[in-house]
Amino acid sequence: MLTTAPRGTKDILPETSGHWQYIEETVYNLCRIYGYSEIRTPVFEHTELFLRGIGETTDIVDKEMYTFTDRGERSITLRPENTAAVVRAFLEHKLYAGPQPTKLFYMGPMFRYDRPQAGRYRQFHQFGIEAIGAKGPAIDAEIIVLAVQFLRQLGLTELKLNINSVGCPQCRPVYRIRLQEFLKEKVSSMCGDCQSRFDRNPMRILDCKKEACTALSQGAPQMVDCLCDECKAHFEQLKGLLTAADVDYVLNPRLVRGLDYYTKTAFEIQYSPLGAQSAVCGGGRYDGLIQECGGQATPGIGFAVGLERVLLALEKQNLLPEAKSDIDVFIAPLGDNAQAPAFRLLCQLRQAGIACDMDFLNRSLKAQMKYANKYPARFVAIIGDEEVKENKVMLKNMETGEQQLIDMDTIQQQFKAERKG
């Protein structure tokens, strides 16, 4: 047990950390272009935040949260998603007093007790966007375009954008009655989860992935047929904006997402080569969430991208960049007399911004050269007794095999000149 990670978690090792950095760099660059600033929230919050924010009828709250009582007898939950936490920070730090809308992004680990499978872990990572303070469909279109651009920029092309409107507190009760009327003769044949959802939140039945429940709910009334005038106008304008941005979409009346706080716009981006776990991004509008968490009525919209699934998609399509060494020079000291001069040179080069490393195992020159080649290092600086006496190094180009004896004091200038050239 001491040498095995907990089930549903995964170590990110040096050979793959570069892939994560590649995605993170893409996120930072894209969010800067779109005017979104980073926010970092705690990995745990008071449980009540998620009960009120996510909704007690969701699978996340019912089955998946990591909740515990701390030493102060407070109920604490590891964050299963980050929208509620961002809303809490928005209210606590009075971000609403600044220029609006407040445009934020985050990256970090989330925690859900779920059955581990490809691309799904109990500790997983999300990149998310939250735009708070704008109620028009233009901000909806902006974040959808941002999500699509992010995935395309990584090289993913077989993307399918599903959109729907889940209405608002005015029109949803009308739909609820129609949906329950349709389902009342069928619900007894559905799974236990769907039976419990019938009274609490019947729209969630449409989100059930069990084949029997999906078949029984075929032909159910559609939310878009029950939208009030405001929701209908919002949705029509959103579709027009997506068309103007040359973003293809599919109307999916069964798309309700898994969180209770969604209103009006709901969307999901699927990458079909992933099969059953094809959803890589999902989001929607949450105009009632901030008020539910104790603030004034404030509109908001956001999305989250599962980074493990994105990495899996990139791996399947051979789109991940090859690992490249950033080491300019490997220093190979020979004998005890060379240790101090080699270490001094190592420190001088690093302080000058030159990436380098040295041998710390007192290996033979042959073993050191073999190690430097595996690194791989562009140059090897060999320092033996003769080089110490003359204050020089033997610099070997590992690509050409060329060797030259140069002054130890000028090696920095040589590398800097080479970079400028």
Side-chain angles (χ1 to χ4, degrees):
M1 293 295 291
L2 293 178
T3 56
T4 304
R7 186 167 185 254
T9 66
K10 184 178 181 181
D11 296 309
I12 300 173
L13 301 176
E15 56 262 32
T16 58
S17 62
H19 298 156
W20 286 84
Q21 292 162 13
Y22 166 64
I23 290 178
E24 290 161 2
E25 184 179 348
T26 304
V27 167
Y28 283 119
N29 289 337
L30 194 60
C31 288
R32 177 184 57 82
I33 292 171
Y34 276 75
Y36 285 77
S37 301
E38 185 180 16
I39 185 170
R40 303 187 186 194
T41 64
V43 296
F44 59 85
E45 299 273 357
H46 295 291
T47 302
E48 178 67 16
L49 174 66
F50 299 118
L51 294 180
R52 294 179 64 183
I54 298 176
E56 296 189 42
T57 65
T58 63
D59 287 347
I60 293 175
V61 171
D62 274 351
K63 308 173 184 177
E64 298 173 1
M65 294 203 313
Y66 279 94
T67 298
F68 59 94
T69 302
D70 70 6
R71 294 188 178 186
E73 298 301 314
R74 292 171 291 257
S75 181
I76 298 294
T77 296
L78 298 178
R79 61 185 185 194
E81 59 94 58
N82 211 34
T83 297
V86 170
V87 165
R88 189 266 310 149
F90 175 82
L91 294 172
E92 180 178 350
H93 302 288
K94 298 180 173 60
L95 299 184
Y96 48 79
Q100 297 301 301
T102 300
K103 300 169 72 173
L104 305 168
F105 80 93
Y106 61 84
M107 279 189 293
M110 311 295 157
F111 306 86
R112 295 183 193 175
Y113 189 85
D114 202 354
R115 184 171 63 87
Q117 52 188 291
R120 177 183 288 180
Y121 298 91
R122 291 175 176 172
Q123 176 180 311
F124 58 99
H125 298 77
Q126 288 184 341
F127 152 50
I129 286 286
E130 310 295 346
I132 304 173
K135 66 177 183 179
I139 196 72
D140 303 30
E142 176 182 271
I143 73 159
I144 291 174
V145 171
L146 193 162
V148 171
Q149 184 176 345
F150 167 67
L151 296 168
R152 285 178 177 171
Q153 204 161 305
L154 293 173
L156 300 178
T157 56
E158 298 177 54
L159 301 172
K160 179 182 178 182
L161 169 63
N162 292 272
I163 65 171
N164 191 24
S165 176
V166 294
C168 70
Q170 179 181 336
C171 54
R172 197 178 294 172
V174 176
Y175 179 63
R176 178 190 179 97
I177 293 171
R178 291 185 58 182
L179 185 59
Q180 286 181 316
E181 183 66 25
F182 174 83
L183 293 172
K184 67 181 182 181
E185 303 297 333
K186 305 169 184 285
V187 68
S188 61
S189 301
M190 293 182 170
C191 68
D193 287 339
C194 286
Q195 291 179 25
S196 67
R197 291 166 181 162
F198 181 78
D199 289 318
R200 295 192 300 165
N201 190 348
M203 282 184 67
R204 291 292 320 286
I205 293 176
L206 301 179
D207 196 41
C208 184
K209 301 300 187 291
K210 292 183 171 61
E211 290 185 8
C213 297
T214 301
L216 287 167
S217 63
Q218 286 297 324
Q222 298 183 8
M223 183 70 226
V224 291
D225 296 328
C226 299
L227 296 177
C228 64
D229 291 342
E230 180 185 343
C231 289
K232 187 179 299 183
H234 187 101
F235 196 46
E236 290 302 316
Q237 290 177 52
L238 171 63
K239 291 188 287 184
L241 290 166
L242 292 176
T243 299
D246 294 323
V247 173
D248 295 329
Y249 60 84
V250 175
L251 297 178
N252 183 351
R254 299 183 67 88
L255 178 64
V256 297
R257 302 293 300 152
L259 304 173
D260 284 356
Y261 55 59
Y262 284 124
T263 57
K264 294 182 180 174
T265 303
F267 69 94
E268 185 175 272
I269 302 176
Q270 298 175 340
Y271 184 68
S272 56
L274 288 181
Q277 300 297 324
S278 62
V280 292
C281 172
R285 181 165 281 281
Y286 46 84
D287 291 347
L289 178 58
I290 293 173
Q291 190 171 18
E292 181 66 30
C293 291
Q296 298 295 318
T298 307
I301 184 168
F303 70 71
V305 174
L307 297 186
E308 279 82 1
R309 288 194 188 176
V310 169
L311 279 165
L312 185 61
L314 295 176
E315 183 180 354
K316 282 180 175 291
Q317 300 300 309
N318 295 316
L319 293 171
L320 289 169
E322 292 184 12
K324 293 183 179 179
S325 172
D326 291 327
I327 294 297
D328 292 312
V329 57
F330 181 82
I331 301 172
L334 304 177
D336 292 340
N337 292 336
Q339 291 295 321
F343 190 70
R344 181 174 65 249
L345 178 60
L346 178 74
C347 295
Q348 290 173 344
L349 292 176
R350 285 174 171 172
Q351 289 170 11
I354 298 168
C356 55
D357 203 350
M358 69 174 281
D359 178 64
F360 292 98
L361 299 180
N362 295 321
R363 286 174 282 206
S364 66
L365 177 60
K366 181 178 179 181
Q368 290 189 57
M369 297 299 288
K370 186 176 181 180
Y371 178 78
N373 198 44
K374 287 182 177 180
Y375 215 114
R378 295 171 54 225
F379 292 89
V380 174
I382 303 168
I383 304 176
D385 290 339
E386 291 300 317
E387 287 78 16
V388 172
K389 290 178 184 178
E390 299 178 16
N391 195 38
K392 293 182 181 294
V393 298
M394 181 65 73
L395 192 65
K396 180 174 182 178
N397 186 316
M398 295 297 284
E399 183 177 350
T400 66
E402 180 185 353
Q403 295 187 167
Q404 55 177 322
L405 195 63
I406 63 174
D407 290 335
M408 195 174 294
D409 298 331
T410 64
I411 190 171
Q412 293 182 38
Q413 287 74 20
Q414 179 157 333
F415 276 102
K416 287 182 178 179
E418 180 184 290
R419 284 184 174 180
K420 289 179 180 178

